[in-house]
Amino acid sequence: AQSVTQPDIHITVSEGASLELRCNYSYGATPYLFWYVQSPGQGLQLLLKYFSGDTLVQGIKGFEAEFKRSQSSFNLRKPSVHWSDAAEYFCAVALNAGNNRKLIWGLGTSLAVNP
Amino acid sequence: NAGVTQTPKFRILKIGQSMTLQCTQDMNHNYMYWYRQDPGMGLKLIYYSVGAGITDKGEVPNGYNVSRSTTEDFPLRLELAAPSQTSVYFCASSYSQGLAYEQYFGPGTRLTVT
């Protein structure tokens, strides 16, 4: 069955430090992959997406993610974290079978940023 | 361009009461979704719709009902509210063509059942 795993429930980094959030997926076909961010009390906002082509994708707010098929991973990175990046981050994979376009979601990683 | 809007933002219900959570999108998306979010549990799909007049169950449909009479609106109905329905509810929508699978989310409705 398709699944998405975010191994880290909670991560704390210092402001200015680099960040990597892990995402592993289980899906037989070519995956469509997404990272979303949820600030406290807000809805989810799309950070970036991967469908095909270049395996390093750039997103908003200075984030990037790299698709590695051999490792079934789609890790999110940022070279220098800002205090405003404190939020919940969700990885998702699209079920492109059929026409319902449902997403399978990871459980999220909560990011705290120390000043 | 408002995107996806949800009302109300907050609501407290007593056990056994009913209510409708409203969701409207102005992006002419055919696909719409209702999720609930509980702490540490990620997003659970309640119902979804692939177009006006067409709805289907997600992972956790029990206790909920939906309708889709127009492209824009996708209300979620709670009948006989139970404490287990205390959650944050998100509505989302997406395009129905090409590779645009990403979903656009509303701000959420925080529901407490006591």
Side-chain angles (χ1 to χ4, degrees):
Chain A
Q2 298 86 357
S3 65
V4 175
T5 302
Q6 294 181 244
D8 305 303
I9 296 173
H10 186 84
I11 285 181
T12 300
V13 299
S14 297
E15 191 168 17
S18 63
L19 171 70
E20 183 169 31
L21 302 182
R22 296 182 291 164
C23 173
N24 295 98
Y25 67 90
S26 172
Y27 188 54
T30 300
Y32 297 165
L33 296 157
F34 306 85
W35 274 101
Y36 282 80
V37 60
Q38 183 182 28
S39 297
Q42 304 296 315
L44 280 74
Q45 181 184 21
L46 180 68
L47 278 176
L48 48 77
K49 60 187 179 184
Y50 171 78
F51 287 152
S52 65
D54 193 345
T55 56
L56 184 64
V57 294
Q58 303 296 320
I60 62 171
K61 303 177 188 256
F63 285 91
E64 66 178 26
E66 185 170 14
F67 170 59
K68 293 185 177 180
R69 185 185 298 275
S70 62
Q71 299 178 19
S72 297
S73 69
F74 188 55
N75 294 348
L76 183 70
R77 299 194 296 248
K78 187 169 186 178
S80 177
V81 170
H82 188 262
W83 63 266
S84 60
D85 293 324
E88 189 89 16
Y89 291 81
F90 292 93
C91 182
V93 62
L95 297 183
N96 54 354
N99 289 322
N100 56 41
R101 296 186 171 237
K102 290 190 285 186
L103 299 183
I104 302 297
W105 296 87
L107 295 183
T109 297
S110 177
L111 174 67
V113 180
N114 287 334
Chain B
N1 193 346
V4 180
T5 58
Q6 293 182 239
T7 57
K9 285 185 168 49
F10 303 94
R11 184 70 185 269
I12 298 174
L13 281 181
K14 293 189 185 302
I15 294 172
Q17 287 185 322
S18 300
M19 77 164 293
T20 299
L21 281 65
Q22 301 292 344
C23 175
T24 299
Q25 53 91 11
D26 62 0
M27 296 175 282
N28 201 32
H29 288 170
N30 280 333
Y31 289 73
M32 296 188 74
Y33 310 84
W34 273 107
Y35 293 94
R36 59 177 288 170
Q37 184 181 37
D38 302 298
M41 300 299 290
L43 293 168
K44 300 292 186 186
L45 183 65
I46 305 172
Y47 271 96
Y48 66 97
S49 169
V50 300
I54 307 170
T55 62
D56 206 348
K57 297 177 181 178
E59 301 172 75
V60 290
N62 291 343
Y64 307 95
N65 276 300
V66 294
S67 60
R68 184 96 181 271
S69 57
T70 67
T71 299
E72 295 78 19
D73 300 307
F74 190 39
L76 178 70
R77 178 83 177 161
L78 278 71
E79 305 281 2
L80 298 175
S84 60
Q85 294 178 305
T86 293
S87 189
V88 182
Y89 291 85
F90 289 101
C91 179
S93 69
S94 71
Y95 290 105
S96 58
Q97 297 177 357
L99 296 179
Y101 279 74
E102 60 266 34
Q103 295 180 9
Y104 297 81
F105 282 78
T109 294
R110 185 174 296 274
L111 176 67
T112 301
V113 182
T114 63

